[in-house]
Amino acid sequence: TTEPLTVDDVLDYIGFGKFQWTISFICGLAWAGDAMEVIILTILSSQLHCEWRLRSYQMALMSSVVFLAVGIGCPVWGIFCDKYGRKIVSVTPVLFFFPCTFCFNRCLCVKQGLTISLCSVLYFGLLSTFAPMYSWLLFLRFLVGFGISGSPQALTLYSEFLPVSLRGRCLALLELFWAFGSMFEILLALLIMPTLGWRWLLRLSALPVGFFLIFSHWLPESPRFDILSGRTAKAVKTLLYIAKQNRRPMPEATIVAFKEDHRGQIKDLFTPQLRKTTVLLSFIWISAAFCYYGIILLTPDLLQSVKSWGCKSHTYAFSGFGTFCGKFADVLLIFFLAAAAKAQDEPVCGLECKYLTSDDYEKMLWTSFAEIPGPILLALLLDHFGRKKSMAFGFLMFSLFLLPMYWYAFLGSPSITSLILITRAFSVTSLQLCYIYGSEVFPTKTRALGIGFCAGIGKVGSLISPFVSEVCSGISLHLTLSIYCGCGLLAAVASLMLPIETLGKDLG
């Protein structure tokens, strides 16, 4: 044809082949590394509670600083990738990245925003293994969290190389690497913790990130970004390379060129065309993170309530509790008051040191299997029902399967465990859909920033969820379940209110 073609037209013509399989594996390594750095927080806090005699609020703070760093870093990496490219030319600072230089043949390399962020994860992750005290570990894990916040850009890069017809399914199946990363981390802990300890666990947990950095030199720059930057010839060269890898001919036509100098600006997310989408998606992302981490944090309370395991302090009573549930400021106040009280007079059972056992790791491994059906279900249904309806369905099912847990006292452990697995599967499905929808709805010039901004705002849900589960469950488990159930229903309504359906939509 003599008519100009878009990048989507060319990718649809070339199809899915060897190139996409390879980039799926490489971007999946980044996603698995992200999951491992998050899951390790649970294992690390339990171990250091015994080894360093940490208080409850100190254990909670270890997770909170990571989520805080991720919330700060997500929009920063988004702006970086939109302004300077999914890949940029830079000199690797040897002092900053010296543990990672084995991944590169030269110190003068082509670097990708995603690669740089994961370099910092590897670097500060390895430094964490030498932390002599709690304050140093807290600081280094904050820096690891800042690096982790760049990992969602793996979806930005990945989505820009996919044919439109397969984009939804491929993005959904990429989320399987998160589940694989979680299970690999737990298996590592099962093997390493009894013999070598937590420092070696941190070192070996960097393996997926290390492998990603080894293979990252192969990753080409996004042709969409090259076209927006006025480098059409380079974009055509990349598309020719993809066609050669897939053993398909390159269509004989010119590529639509459109240069955009003003990229990665937050104000572009609030134009009349995107304002409603940005606001609603941010709320949905907060809700998804809130529900996902909520069901994980509530799992021990629900199981202990059924089997009467352990002990739990119910000595904190607060007036005006209804107002507290409605205001974030009150949640923070009550949480820190409770933490301060616990620091002074912690229940006896809270001071008893209990290391995680093999049985504990096996239970964690089984619950991680709940995250595998979600991506598979998404891959099968996403292109039939669309993104908005699928997202609403996930939140609705999460809330509906929470309702039977109100009668946890009358349900056996197998029933509660089954409900926990189902709700966790739907919660992770909803969270994954936020990434998929975000990578499709924003145009190329603000795609990385859009995902980074909404994901960063979504970390508010990750920060609030431990506070709500900690304080509310100490007063009433029924009230805690009601909060999560209500949040899921509101998110389902917000999903249907999104103005743009991205099923079959070309990436602008």
Side-chain angles (χ1 to χ4, degrees):
T1 180
T2 57
E3 296 181 3
L5 300 178
T6 64
V7 174
D8 281 315
D9 294 331
V10 176
L11 289 174
D12 283 339
Y13 184 83
I14 295 173
F16 191 96
K18 179 182 176 182
F19 176 86
Q20 281 79 14
W21 281 112
T22 307
I23 200 172
S24 298
F25 173 73
I26 296 176
C27 290
L29 285 175
W31 214 229
D34 185 354
M36 292 177 69
E37 292 295 339
V38 172
I39 295 299
I40 202 172
L41 294 174
T42 303
I43 301 168
L44 199 59
S45 61
S46 298
Q47 180 73 18
L48 295 183
H49 171 60
C50 295
E51 191 169 321
W52 288 355
R53 307 302 295 174
L54 299 182
R55 299 284 186 174
S56 297
Y57 75 93
Q58 291 176 306
M59 294 165 61
L61 195 58
M62 283 183 61
S63 300
S64 296
V65 295
V66 174
F67 290 131
L68 177 62
V70 172
I72 295 171
C74 276
V76 173
W77 287 115
I79 294 172
F80 180 87
C81 289
D82 277 335
K83 280 186 175 293
Y84 304 108
R86 299 1 173 197
K87 297 188 73 176
I88 63 172
V89 178
S90 65
V91 178
T92 306
V94 178
L95 178 62
F96 191 75
F97 295 129
F98 74 90
C100 314
T101 52
F102 68 93
C103 306
F104 307 96
N105 295 326
R106 300 175 184 175
C107 287
L108 187 60
C109 306
V110 176
K111 288 291 189 177
Q112 180 194 17
L114 174 62
T115 304
I116 295 176
S117 71
L118 291 181
C119 264
S120 64
V121 173
L122 180 60
Y123 179 38
F124 293 116
L126 291 176
L127 282 183
S128 299
T129 66
F130 301 102
M133 61 185 68
Y134 173 76
S135 57
W136 268 107
L137 184 63
L138 204 65
F139 173 68
L140 291 170
R141 297 315 291 180
F142 176 87
L143 296 176
V144 169
F146 188 83
I148 287 175
S149 62
S151 61
Q153 301 308 328
L155 270 75
T156 302
L157 182 74
Y158 185 56
S159 66
E160 294 180 350
F161 286 105
L162 296 172
V164 175
S165 59
L166 297 174
R167 191 173 60 221
R169 276 172 278 179
C170 292
L171 288 172
L173 291 176
L174 188 70
E175 301 290 346
L176 283 172
F177 281 91
W178 179 278
F180 295 153
S182 301
M183 291 186 288
F184 182 59
E185 181 63 41
I186 296 169
L187 284 173
L188 266 183
L190 180 62
L191 297 173
I192 300 300
M193 290 297 286
T195 54
L196 299 178
W198 64 271
R199 296 183 189 273
W200 270 103
L201 179 65
L202 282 179
R203 292 174 187 134
L204 294 175
S205 297
L207 283 175
V209 175
F211 284 124
F212 170 84
L213 294 174
I214 292 173
F215 298 128
S216 63
H217 71 280
W218 179 89
L219 288 172
E221 178 59 274
S222 165
R224 301 177 192 276
F225 180 83
D226 281 335
I227 287 177
L228 277 185
S229 304
R231 299 190 293 265
T232 306
K234 186 179 178 183
V236 172
K237 185 178 179 180
T238 301
L239 292 171
L240 282 169
Y241 175 74
I242 297 173
K244 182 180 179 181
Q245 289 286 307
N246 291 359
R247 297 182 180 180
R248 291 278 297 174
M250 180 76 174
E252 297 180 0
T254 58
I255 306 296
V256 176
F258 177 75
K259 186 176 181 181
E260 176 63 59
D261 294 323
H262 303 288
R263 302 182 302 271
Q265 297 182 345
I266 292 181
K267 67 178 183 180
D268 291 335
L269 300 179
F270 294 94
T271 59
Q273 295 81 10
L274 290 176
R275 184 187 302 121
K276 185 176 180 181
T277 298
T278 301
V279 173
L280 285 174
L281 186 59
S282 297
F283 171 75
I284 293 168
W285 218 307
I286 291 173
S287 303
F290 181 75
C291 294
Y292 172 67
Y293 290 105
I295 192 61
I296 292 175
L297 293 168
L298 282 177
T299 296
D301 285 332
L302 288 166
L303 292 175
Q304 288 173 0
S305 296
V306 173
K307 293 188 174 183
S308 300
W309 289 342
C311 57
K312 191 174 184 71
S313 174
H314 298 276
T315 60
Y316 305 110
F318 302 93
S319 60
F321 184 74
T323 305
F324 140 69
C325 285
K327 296 182 180 180
F328 175 53
D330 290 342
V331 174
L332 288 175
L333 176 62
I334 293 174
F335 173 79
F336 286 120
L337 286 174
K342 287 185 177 182
Q344 296 295 324
D345 186 23
E346 196 164 3
V348 175
C349 61
L351 293 175
E352 292 177 357
C353 181
K354 182 181 180 182
Y355 289 94
L356 291 174
T357 64
S358 297
D359 289 338
D360 294 325
Y361 289 125
E362 289 176 6
K363 290 175 183 176
M364 292 172 65
L365 186 62
W366 279 111
T367 56
S368 295
F369 274 106
E371 299 192 6
I372 292 181
I376 298 175
L377 182 65
L378 275 180
L380 295 174
L381 302 179
L382 196 61
D383 290 336
H384 294 284
F385 297 101
R387 281 49 165 167
K388 293 167 53 178
K389 291 181 180 178
S390 298
M391 201 181 302
F393 177 76
F395 282 115
L396 181 61
M397 290 297 101
F398 170 81
S399 297
L400 288 179
F401 280 99
L402 272 183
L403 291 177
M405 295 186 192
Y406 280 76
W407 294 274
Y408 61 86
F410 305 100
L411 297 174
S413 181
S415 299
I416 284 291
T417 303
S418 300
L419 289 171
I420 290 172
L421 292 175
I422 294 171
T423 52
R424 182 168 173 177
F426 280 115
S427 65
V428 74
T429 298
S430 301
L431 186 58
Q432 291 163 355
L433 268 167
C434 290
Y435 286 100
I436 295 173
Y437 184 83
S439 66
E440 295 179 326
V441 74
F442 294 107
T444 301
K445 70 173 185 176
T446 56
R447 181 169 299 119
L449 173 59
I451 293 177
F453 178 84
C454 293
I457 296 294
K459 293 306 172 185
V460 173
S462 306
L463 287 169
I464 295 176
S465 199
F467 300 160
V468 173
S469 63
E470 174 77 14
V471 178
C472 288
S473 61
I475 298 172
S476 171
L477 194 55
H478 292 97
L479 181 59
T480 310
L481 291 171
S482 299
I483 294 173
Y484 286 108
C485 184
C487 183
L489 293 175
L490 288 175
V493 174
S495 301
L496 296 175
M497 292 173 62
L498 287 167
I500 302 172
E501 172 56 65
T502 60
L503 175 62
K505 176 181 176 291
D506 289 344
L507 297 182

